[in-house]
């Protein structure tokens, strides 16, 4: 089971669209995919389910927030009890693969505050153990469900580096970084990866002191940077965007996907009302279909990079 966190400090870079469409494309190819929405904005969640249905059926106890909250009550839920199969998306797959979701909650932002209060300890040793306990929570939640039979778990992370985001990184085998080709969206990528490196270093240092349990160390790999919202001219990104793509590609330690997601505000904006990602639509319009072709190319490259 490959676990991939999709992350960028900057919001509005197409993170949720990339997660939804890449996961849907892989499911269409017969893969078994679980998507976990860790972003309190819940945009991914509302891409698959209507807000009124979410409120009626899941708001109270059927989201990832309920799972985090259950630890505070001393009776942790099993993570797999929260897995849902969105009806409209399931129908669109026509029996191919599998696409399941764990929904988010707008109150998830408060979970981070609760987790932060648990990090202190009476002494340094206790503080380090608390650090490990809190930060490995999602990893252990996934590992404690032996019946999970997925080829891929994709985690849509919030656009920050809070504790909830860190639990996703520590649970992951790979990190995928989406970005728009502009100054603000690309500016923080190197800083993000330095923060990830620092987290991994601290975690592994603490893990090695935890009764010698060196098996608990982690080494998530950055699978690459995917550019989104690309505008094309003559079948290539426009020159202004190529400047930013080249700049990121020259950054040490960053590997840019050759494929990218094209910009089409209409079809991406309308997709959530149908509950089905763009990747699973058939378009007669050539410009719309070219967006799907781009998603397929990203999926091809993604699968090669992680060996899926």
């Amino acid at each position: 089971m490959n676990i991939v966190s999709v992350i960028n400090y900057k919001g509005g870079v197409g993170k949720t669209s990339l997660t939804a469409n890449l996961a849907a494309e892989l499911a269409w190819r017969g893969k078994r995919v679980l998507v976990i929405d860790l972003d309190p904005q819940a945009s991914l969640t509302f891409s698959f389910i209507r807000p009124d249905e979410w409120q009626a059926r899941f708001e109270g106890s059927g989201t990832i927030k309920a799972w985090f909250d259950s630890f505070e009550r001393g009776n942790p839920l099993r993570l797999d009890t929260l897995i849902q199969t969105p009806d409209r998306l399931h129908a669109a797959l026509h029996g191919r693969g599998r696409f399941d979701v764990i929904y988010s909650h707008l109150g998830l932002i408060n979970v981070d505050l609760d987790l932060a209060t648990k990090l202190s300890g009476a002494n340094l040793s206790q503080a380090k153990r608390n650090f490990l306990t809190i930060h490995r929570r999602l990893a252990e939640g996934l590992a404690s469900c032996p019946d999970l039979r997925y080829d891929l778990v994709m985690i849509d992370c919030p656009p920050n580096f809070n504790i909830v985001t860190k639990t996703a990184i520590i649970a992951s085998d790979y990190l995928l970084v989406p970005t728009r080709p502009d100054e603000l969206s690309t500016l923080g990528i190197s800083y993000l990866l330095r923060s990830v490196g620092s987290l991994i270093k601290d975690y592994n240092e603490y893990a090695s002191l935890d009764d010698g349990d060196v098996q608990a160390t982690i080494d998530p790999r950055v699978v690459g940077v995917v550019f989104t919202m690309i505008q094309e001219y003559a079948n290539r990104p426009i020159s202004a965007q190529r400047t930013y793509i080249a700049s990121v590609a020259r950054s040490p330690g960053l590997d840019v996907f050759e494929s990218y997601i094209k910009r089409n505000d209409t079809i991406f904006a309308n997709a959530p009302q149908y509950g089905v990602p763009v990747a699973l639509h058939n378009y007669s319009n050539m410009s719309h279909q070219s967006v799907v072709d781009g998603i397929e190319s990203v999926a091809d490259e993604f699968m090669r990079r992680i060996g899926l």
Side-chain angles (χ1 to χ4, degrees), residues 145-209:
C145 299
D147 293 334
L148 292 183
R149 296 288 187 266
Y150 292 100
D151 300 299
L152 178 70
V153 177
M154 295 193 72
I155 305 173
D156 187 25
C157 296
N160 53 49
F161 206 69
N162 62 16
I163 299 173
V164 170
T165 302
K166 292 174 183 178
T167 66
I169 293 170
I170 287 167
S172 296
D173 303 299
Y174 301 97
L175 307 178
L176 185 62
V177 183
T179 188
R180 293 176 58 166
D182 61 39
E183 179 72 19
L184 293 179
S185 300
T186 59
L187 191 61
I189 294 177
S190 294
Y191 182 70
L192 167 65
L193 298 186
R194 286 197 298 272
S195 298
V196 169
S198 179
L199 171 65
I200 294 170
K201 179 176 179 294
D202 289 344
Y203 181 89
N204 287 341
E205 176 188 338
Y206 295 170
S208 66
L209 299 174

Side-chain angles (χ1 to χ4, degrees), residues 13-267:
V13 298
K15 174 177 59 65
T16 296
S17 292
L18 176 64
T19 304
N21 283 282
L22 181 54
E25 175 61 27
L26 294 176
W28 180 256
R29 298 182 186 197
K31 301 300 181 183
R32 296 160 299 179
V33 184
L34 171 65
V35 173
I36 302 175
D37 188 0
L38 276 190
D39 192 338
Q41 296 179 75
S43 297
L44 186 68
T45 293
F46 297 134
S47 296
F48 306 129
I49 185 172
R50 297 181 181 90
D52 57 343
E53 182 184 357
W54 173 87
Q55 187 174 25
R57 297 179 55 195
F58 302 108
E59 182 181 16
S61 59
T63 71
I64 192 66
K65 177 182 181 295
W67 180 75
F68 277 109
D69 288 344
S70 69
F71 287 86
E72 304 306 311
R73 297 193 299 269
N75 187 24
L77 295 171
R78 282 177 58 98
L79 196 59
D80 53 2
T81 63
L82 300 173
I83 294 173
Q84 302 295 328
T85 303
D87 294 337
R88 291 178 292 175
L89 199 156
H90 177 71
L93 287 173
H94 300 293
R96 295 172 178 249
R98 179 176 172 184
F99 194 123
D100 295 334
V101 183
I102 295 179
Y103 296 131
S104 187
H105 192 290
L106 282 71
L108 187 61
I109 192 169
N110 296 320
V111 167
D112 197 74
L113 301 175
D114 294 335
L115 293 176
T117 65
K118 305 296 189 296
L119 290 178
S120 59
N123 52 54
L124 181 59
S125 177
Q126 185 60 53
K128 288 183 176 181
R129 282 186 171 80
N130 289 345
F131 178 95
L132 293 173
T133 298
I134 294 300
H135 285 84
R136 65 165 50 134
R137 184 162 290 178
L138 184 58
E140 292 185 347
L142 289 166
S144 66
C145 299
D147 293 334
L148 292 183
R149 296 288 187 266
Y150 292 100
D151 300 299
L152 178 70
V153 177
M154 295 193 72
I155 305 173
D156 187 25
C157 296
N160 53 49
F161 206 69
N162 62 16
I163 299 173
V164 170
T165 302
K166 292 174 183 178
T167 66
I169 293 170
I170 287 167
S172 296
D173 303 299
Y174 301 97
L175 307 178
L176 185 62
V177 183
T179 188
R180 293 176 58 166
D182 61 39
E183 179 72 19
L184 293 179
S185 300
T186 59
L187 191 61
I189 294 177
S190 294
Y191 182 70
L192 167 65
L193 298 186
R194 286 197 298 272
S195 298
V196 169
S198 179
L199 171 65
I200 294 170
K201 179 176 179 294
D202 289 344
Y203 181 89
N204 287 341
E205 176 188 338
Y206 295 170
S208 66
L209 299 174
D210 188 19
D211 299 325
D213 185 12
V214 294
Q215 298 299 320
T217 57
I218 59 169
D219 187 25
R221 181 169 67 86
V222 179
V223 66
V225 177
V226 177
F227 276 92
T228 65
M229 306 184 193
I230 293 294
Q231 297 172 266
E232 284 189 330
Y233 179 77
N235 295 320
R236 62 187 302 204
I238 61 175
S239 59
Q241 294 184 337
R242 292 201 304 271
T243 300
Y244 292 106
I245 295 172
S247 176
V248 172
R250 289 193 298 268
S251 301
L254 290 181
D255 192 5
V256 175
F257 274 54
E258 293 180 11
S259 308
Y260 49 78
I261 306 295
K262 298 179 185 179
R263 180 168 188 165
N264 190 308
D265 294 341
T266 301
I267 61 173

